[in-house]
Amino acid sequence: MNEKTFRAAKSREQRRFYRAINQVIDQLLSQKFEQTRDLGEYRRYAETCNYVKGQIHLVDAASNNLARLFERQDERANWEVYLSGLRQLCRDLPDSYLFRFVLPMFGLEDVREKLVAYGGRWLEALHAGQTVLSQTERYLNNLERGEAIQEEYRAANAASEDLPRLYASLKTWESERELPGFYNALADFVGGTLEVLVLGPLQLYLMLGRDSFTLILKTLTAGRLADLKQGDAEYGEALALHDFLHGALADSITWGVLKEVAGRSGKIYADLLREEVVRLRAQLPTQELQRGFLVRYEAGAIFPRALDEG
């Protein structure tokens, strides 16, 4: 895949993603303003929102390696290999020896159920990811082709970002009926990824009760199975720390903001993309016009230089 094409597309989507995050933060601040007239409380909430927004920018570091997802291993792209492996893990885990025998043996059935629920949510996000990444790969390939055609035919001063993107959109989704499924999958994939990767570990911790946490401590420190039947007195200090951390996290404003951002950002991001696609495709409102545009684009007939030479 052309590096220039991918880098430009990634930059556009990063900007769109952060616009979505900003919209979520604006919604939360607006709601908070309506709920309270306490200036100090509002300022603290605004500071927390800005902190969360800043932490979300860590996505930039992970995005540096996104191009590798679309490199191919034999006939399959890397993203397909990775998703396939993760789906298999999520499907097989509930029936694993660890889940069926080891965790119950230590009395950790509650932990098992929480992990199964966590894996189920991740599996939903992975299914959405399959749809999103497969169609994104087609779009990027079509975008690269569209830019190459424009470069071949255009006059020196006639470059357009919209034309290759319109071409790629029409080549990837030939019918308007195909787009809603993509938007829904995109919203679920973005929101699900934030929910699982950002909130997931903390959510799992909060879901564990004190008894389950005590059993985990025993399991990690016991030298023999018989030690699991001993009292909990020696774990008092560790449990005191757990109680403090659990309570602080559960009541944390930051935690509340993170949940809202993860829950809302996927849909807003998909809606922002929908707005742009609608704007581009509105230039050709009928399928007949769209098909004619694709033929003329690939023939170079819509570019000034091609017309001048004709």
Side-chain angles (χ1 to χ4, degrees), residues 259-272:
K259 287 196 296 184
E260 291 293 339
V261 169
R264 301 188 190 193
S265 56
K267 184 178 185 307
I268 292 178
Y269 173 74
D271 286 344
L272 289 174

PDB file of all heavy atoms in Angstrom, residues 259-272:
ATOM      1  N   LYS A 259     -15.845   6.195  31.109  1.00  0.00           N
ATOM      2  CA  LYS A 259     -16.964   5.350  30.669  1.00  0.00           C
ATOM      3  C   LYS A 259     -17.837   6.077  29.654  1.00  0.00           C
ATOM      4  O   LYS A 259     -18.289   5.477  28.672  1.00  0.00           O
ATOM      5  CB  LYS A 259     -17.805   4.913  31.881  1.00  0.00           C
ATOM      6  CG  LYS A 259     -17.143   3.861  32.748  1.00  0.00           C
ATOM      7  CD  LYS A 259     -18.144   3.189  33.678  1.00  0.00           C
ATOM      8  CE  LYS A 259     -18.716   4.168  34.673  1.00  0.00           C
ATOM      9  NZ  LYS A 259     -19.624   3.485  35.642  1.00  0.00           N
ATOM     10  N   GLU A 260     -18.087   7.346  29.907  1.00  0.00           N
ATOM     11  CA  GLU A 260     -18.920   8.115  28.982  1.00  0.00           C
ATOM     12  C   GLU A 260     -18.229   8.284  27.635  1.00  0.00           C
ATOM     13  O   GLU A 260     -18.857   8.167  26.579  1.00  0.00           O
ATOM     14  CB  GLU A 260     -19.245   9.485  29.582  1.00  0.00           C
ATOM     15  CG  GLU A 260     -20.178   9.445  30.775  1.00  0.00           C
ATOM     16  CD  GLU A 260     -21.572   8.982  30.411  1.00  0.00           C
ATOM     17  OE1 GLU A 260     -21.945   9.069  29.226  1.00  0.00           O
ATOM     18  OE2 GLU A 260     -22.294   8.517  31.304  1.00  0.00           O
ATOM     19  N   VAL A 261     -16.927   8.552  27.667  1.00  0.00           N
ATOM     20  CA  VAL A 261     -16.182   8.728  26.423  1.00  0.00           C
ATOM     21  C   VAL A 261     -16.184   7.437  25.612  1.00  0.00           C
ATOM     22  O   VAL A 261     -16.427   7.438  24.394  1.00  0.00           O
ATOM     23  CB  VAL A 261     -14.737   9.178  26.717  1.00  0.00           C
ATOM     24  CG1 VAL A 261     -13.882   9.105  25.450  1.00  0.00           C
ATOM     25  CG2 VAL A 261     -14.725  10.608  27.255  1.00  0.00           C
ATOM     26  N   ALA A 262     -15.932   6.312  26.281  1.00  0.00           N
ATOM     27  CA  ALA A 262     -15.928   5.027  25.581  1.00  0.00           C
ATOM     28  C   ALA A 262     -17.313   4.682  25.045  1.00  0.00           C
ATOM     29  O   ALA A 262     -17.446   4.122  23.953  1.00  0.00           O
ATOM     30  CB  ALA A 262     -15.447   3.925  26.526  1.00  0.00           C
ATOM     31  N   GLY A 263     -18.343   5.037  25.787  1.00  0.00           N
ATOM     32  CA  GLY A 263     -19.700   4.691  25.373  1.00  0.00           C
ATOM     33  C   GLY A 263     -20.245   5.532  24.239  1.00  0.00           C
ATOM     34  O   GLY A 263     -21.076   5.070  23.460  1.00  0.00           O
ATOM     35  N   ARG A 264     -19.777   6.780  24.116  1.00  0.00           N
ATOM     36  CA  ARG A 264     -20.361   7.698  23.135  1.00  0.00           C
ATOM     37  C   ARG A 264     -19.498   7.938  21.892  1.00  0.00           C
ATOM     38  O   ARG A 264     -20.017   8.290  20.842  1.00  0.00           O
ATOM     39  CB  ARG A 264     -20.616   9.069  23.795  1.00  0.00           C
ATOM     40  CG  ARG A 264     -21.530   9.044  24.994  1.00  0.00           C
ATOM     41  CD  ARG A 264     -21.844  10.459  25.429  1.00  0.00           C
ATOM     42  NE  ARG A 264     -22.523  10.525  26.715  1.00  0.00           N
ATOM     43  CZ  ARG A 264     -23.111  11.610  27.200  1.00  0.00           C
ATOM     44  NH1 ARG A 264     -23.092  12.728  26.495  1.00  0.00           N
ATOM     45  NH2 ARG A 264     -23.697  11.594  28.367  1.00  0.00           N
ATOM     46  N   SER A 265     -18.196   7.794  22.030  1.00  0.00           N
ATOM     47  CA  SER A 265     -17.292   8.259  20.967  1.00  0.00           C
ATOM     48  C   SER A 265     -17.444   7.471  19.673  1.00  0.00           C
ATOM     49  O   SER A 265     -17.299   8.040  18.578  1.00  0.00           O
ATOM     50  CB  SER A 265     -15.841   8.200  21.441  1.00  0.00           C
ATOM     51  OG  SER A 265     -15.506   6.888  21.870  1.00  0.00           O
ATOM     52  N   GLY A 266     -17.726   6.162  19.762  1.00  0.00           N
ATOM     53  CA  GLY A 266     -17.836   5.358  18.549  1.00  0.00           C
ATOM     54  C   GLY A 266     -18.952   5.835  17.643  1.00  0.00           C
ATOM     55  O   GLY A 266     -18.751   5.995  16.422  1.00  0.00           O
ATOM     56  N   LYS A 267     -20.108   6.086  18.209  1.00  0.00           N
ATOM     57  CA  LYS A 267     -21.238   6.531  17.393  1.00  0.00           C
ATOM     58  C   LYS A 267     -20.995   7.921  16.806  1.00  0.00           C
ATOM     59  O   LYS A 267     -21.306   8.181  15.638  1.00  0.00           O
ATOM     60  CB  LYS A 267     -22.527   6.543  18.217  1.00  0.00           C
ATOM     61  CG  LYS A 267     -23.765   6.905  17.395  1.00  0.00           C
ATOM     62  CD  LYS A 267     -25.024   6.872  18.221  1.00  0.00           C
ATOM     63  CE  LYS A 267     -26.254   7.122  17.334  1.00  0.00           C
ATOM     64  NZ  LYS A 267     -26.140   8.355  16.538  1.00  0.00           N
ATOM     65  N   ILE A 268     -20.429   8.810  17.613  1.00  0.00           N
ATOM     66  CA  ILE A 268     -20.165  10.158  17.115  1.00  0.00           C
ATOM     67  C   ILE A 268     -19.133  10.119  15.992  1.00  0.00           C
ATOM     68  O   ILE A 268     -19.271  10.807  14.970  1.00  0.00           O
ATOM     69  CB  ILE A 268     -19.706  11.073  18.260  1.00  0.00           C
ATOM     70  CG1 ILE A 268     -20.866  11.298  19.241  1.00  0.00           C
ATOM     71  CG2 ILE A 268     -19.207  12.415  17.726  1.00  0.00           C
ATOM     72  CD1 ILE A 268     -20.512  12.146  20.439  1.00  0.00           C
ATOM     73  N   TYR A 269     -18.107   9.302  16.160  1.00  0.00           N
ATOM     74  CA  TYR A 269     -17.086   9.177  15.118  1.00  0.00           C
ATOM     75  C   TYR A 269     -17.716   8.660  13.823  1.00  0.00           C
ATOM     76  O   TYR A 269     -17.452   9.190  12.735  1.00  0.00           O
ATOM     77  CB  TYR A 269     -15.991   8.223  15.589  1.00  0.00           C
ATOM     78  CG  TYR A 269     -14.971   7.893  14.533  1.00  0.00           C
ATOM     79  CD1 TYR A 269     -14.007   8.812  14.156  1.00  0.00           C
ATOM     80  CD2 TYR A 269     -14.983   6.657  13.898  1.00  0.00           C
ATOM     81  CE1 TYR A 269     -13.067   8.515  13.176  1.00  0.00           C
ATOM     82  CE2 TYR A 269     -14.050   6.347  12.924  1.00  0.00           C
ATOM     83  CZ  TYR A 269     -13.098   7.280  12.563  1.00  0.00           C
ATOM     84  OH  TYR A 269     -12.187   6.977  11.584  1.00  0.00           O
ATOM     85  N   ALA A 270     -18.559   7.634  13.926  1.00  0.00           N
ATOM     86  CA  ALA A 270     -19.221   7.094  12.736  1.00  0.00           C
ATOM     87  C   ALA A 270     -20.138   8.133  12.101  1.00  0.00           C
ATOM     88  O   ALA A 270     -20.228   8.226  10.872  1.00  0.00           O
ATOM     89  CB  ALA A 270     -20.009   5.837  13.099  1.00  0.00           C
ATOM     90  N   ASP A 271     -20.817   8.931  12.921  1.00  0.00           N
ATOM     91  CA  ASP A 271     -21.695   9.974  12.384  1.00  0.00           C
ATOM     92  C   ASP A 271     -20.900  11.050  11.647  1.00  0.00           C
ATOM     93  O   ASP A 271     -21.348  11.577  10.616  1.00  0.00           O
ATOM     94  CB  ASP A 271     -22.507  10.615  13.516  1.00  0.00           C
ATOM     95  CG  ASP A 271     -23.624   9.704  14.021  1.00  0.00           C
ATOM     96  OD1 ASP A 271     -23.957   8.732  13.314  1.00  0.00           O
ATOM     97  OD2 ASP A 271     -24.133   9.955  15.125  1.00  0.00           O
ATOM     98  N   LEU A 272     -19.737  11.398  12.173  1.00  0.00           N
ATOM     99  CA  LEU A 272     -18.894  12.401  11.495  1.00  0.00           C
ATOM    100  C   LEU A 272     -18.425  11.880  10.144  1.00  0.00           C
ATOM    101  O   LEU A 272     -18.388  12.628   9.156  1.00  0.00           O
ATOM    102  CB  LEU A 272     -17.692  12.748  12.376  1.00  0.00           C
ATOM    103  CG  LEU A 272     -17.987  13.566  13.638  1.00  0.00           C
ATOM    104  CD1 LEU A 272     -16.731  13.713  14.481  1.00  0.00           C
ATOM    105  CD2 LEU A 272     -18.548  14.936  13.281  1.00  0.00           C
TER     106      LEU A 272
END
